[in-house]
Amino acid sequence: MNSSERLAQAIDRNSGVDGLHQTALPRVQLIRASREIDAIHELHRPAVCIVAQGRKRVMLGDRIFEYDRNRYLVVSVDVPILGQIVEASAQQPYLCLRIDLDPALLSGLWLESGLPAPNGGAPGPSLMLSDAGDDVLDAANRLLALLDTPDDIAMLAPLVERELLYRLMKGEQASRLHEIAHGESRLRHVVRAIDWIKRHFREPFDMAELAAHASMSTSALHAHFKSVTRMSPLQYQKQLRLQWARGLMLGRAMDAASAGHAVGYDSPSQFSREYSRLFGAPPLRDVARLRELPPSFRGGAELPEEAAAEA
């Protein structure tokens, strides 16, 4: 049995049913799907996603990323994506290990490791694929094996997580992980802009105001923001608004007009038109379709704490 097959068995054993499952391991989730699933719109957080069985396709703007057990995905910033599980069945379910990335942990590990900083330059797309070698998969297997001995998690999980991250830092994703770890990189300026948009997603803004919050010139912010997210700041804001509105209709049973108003739309017809353009169906029909999926596959976006309190 190879490393991917062992990882698939561990994920299957510890998930059981379809959906996204939190585990006793910090920052580690397991994803299982026993059928193909189309058009999952979500705000993806910085993470490493390692597929052990099946295949997934992710779209970021005009870029398509497809990965299976031979490749893993790294996401460097909060970014709206469209995901599709394109290979899954009851006999061979889609099985994935997701590890959220902690910038502070990465930064400390980089200092301790003594690894050289990768060559600088403009930040690249927020999604990247790399080949999954046995060194990465073996560390992932040892991490999940701790679920069988929960008393060992507190002591050993941090060590195995550090090993896994170290393996990734020595690979093709070194530049991306270094950008996440070090707060003064150009990527971190883009992250400041993203964080500001998330906190003020209802409000109109101009690029000069946003650039000031990101401590960049307007032209530099626009160029780097689009390089990372494959969309402009205004397009990013629109996708967040529509995803949050979708979450309000699903989670709080809001009608379309109320959800649109809650995220900053003054015109119900404009909201319905832009919603249909993004999600492929009017709000009522789209929400009815999503209710047939497991909750963790319904997509949407998690409201910032201050925004959730007002919604």
Side-chain angles (χ1 to χ4, degrees):
M1 185 183 300
N2 63 33
S3 299
S4 290
E5 291 168 341
R6 292 199 306 274
L7 188 62
Q9 283 193 356
I11 296 172
D12 196 31
R13 185 172 66 252
N14 288 286
S15 56
V17 297
D18 287 0
L20 185 147
H21 304 270
Q22 300 294 331
T23 72
L25 297 164
R27 293 175 289 280
V28 174
Q29 299 95 42
L30 307 177
I31 305 168
R32 185 185 194 279
S34 58
R35 64 183 176 94
E36 296 175 0
I37 297 179
D38 192 24
I40 307 169
H41 288 263
E42 61 177 311
L43 181 67
H44 208 304
R45 293 184 171 181
V48 176
C49 300
I50 302 172
V51 171
Q53 185 170 276
R55 187 160 47 96
K56 186 172 183 178
R57 182 181 300 137
V58 174
M59 280 151 277
L60 174 66
D62 58 353
R63 294 280 302 271
I64 297 176
F65 303 82
E66 191 162 298
Y67 57 108
D68 54 19
R69 69 180 188 174
N70 297 310
R71 293 190 289 178
Y72 64 89
L73 176 76
V74 171
V75 183
S76 61
V77 301
D78 291 355
V79 64
I81 58 100
L82 172 64
Q84 299 172 297
I85 296 175
V86 295
E87 186 179 305
S89 67
Q91 294 73 32
Q92 295 283 318
Y94 171 82
L95 300 168
C96 179
L97 166 66
R98 170 175 160 169
I99 305 170
D100 291 338
L101 293 172
D102 180 350
L105 177 58
L106 278 172
S107 179
L109 185 56
W110 213 289
L111 289 173
E112 291 178 43
S113 70
L115 290 173
N119 293 330
S126 53
L127 272 62
M128 274 192 64
L129 295 173
S130 287
D131 293 340
D134 284 339
D135 56 348
V136 171
L137 294 175
D138 288 345
N141 271 301
R142 286 195 296 279
L143 187 62
L144 285 195
L146 292 173
L147 293 174
D148 297 328
T149 56
D151 290 345
D152 295 334
I153 288 176
M155 180 63 67
L156 297 182
L159 302 178
V160 184
E161 182 184 12
R162 284 162 59 88
E163 179 196 350
L164 177 55
L165 293 175
Y166 176 74
R167 301 292 183 189
L168 298 175
M169 287 161 50
K170 293 186 67 177
E172 297 175 331
Q173 300 278 13
S175 294
R176 191 67 70 251
L177 295 170
H178 190 268
E179 288 174 346
I180 298 170
H182 292 80
E184 294 307 313
S185 69
R186 291 185 179 93
L187 179 67
R188 296 307 298 172
H189 290 282
V190 174
V191 169
R192 289 177 194 167
I194 288 173
D195 288 343
W196 191 89
I197 293 173
K198 287 171 62 181
R199 291 194 305 271
H200 303 274
F201 69 98
R202 296 185 184 88
E203 307 165 12
F205 64 87
D206 60 36
M207 281 297 297
E209 179 184 15
L210 185 62
H213 285 287
S215 302
M216 299 181 79
S217 70
T218 301
S219 59
L221 174 61
H222 191 276
H224 292 316
F225 197 100
K226 194 152 191 176
S227 175
V228 170
T229 68
R230 310 298 294 184
M231 63 190 79
S232 71
L234 288 174
Q235 290 171 325
Y236 187 99
Q237 181 199 39
K238 180 185 293 186
Q239 288 215 21
L240 288 187
R241 282 182 169 184
L242 294 171
Q243 288 198 23
W244 280 322
R246 198 188 209 192
L248 291 173
M249 288 185 286
L250 278 167
R252 304 190 187 181
M254 277 192 182
D255 60 76
S258 299
H261 181 73
V263 299
Y265 281 89
D266 294 325
S267 167
S269 60
Q270 181 188 4
F271 169 71
S272 182
R273 183 169 59 252
E274 294 187 355
Y275 188 102
S276 299
R277 188 177 300 129
L278 179 62
F279 297 123
L284 188 63
R285 194 192 315 162
D286 177 61
V287 170
R289 176 183 67 85
L290 289 173
R291 292 195 189 281
E292 299 175 0
L293 298 176
S296 54
F297 289 148
R298 293 174 182 173
E302 184 178 333
L303 285 165
E305 190 172 322
E306 62 272 27
E310 298 174 12

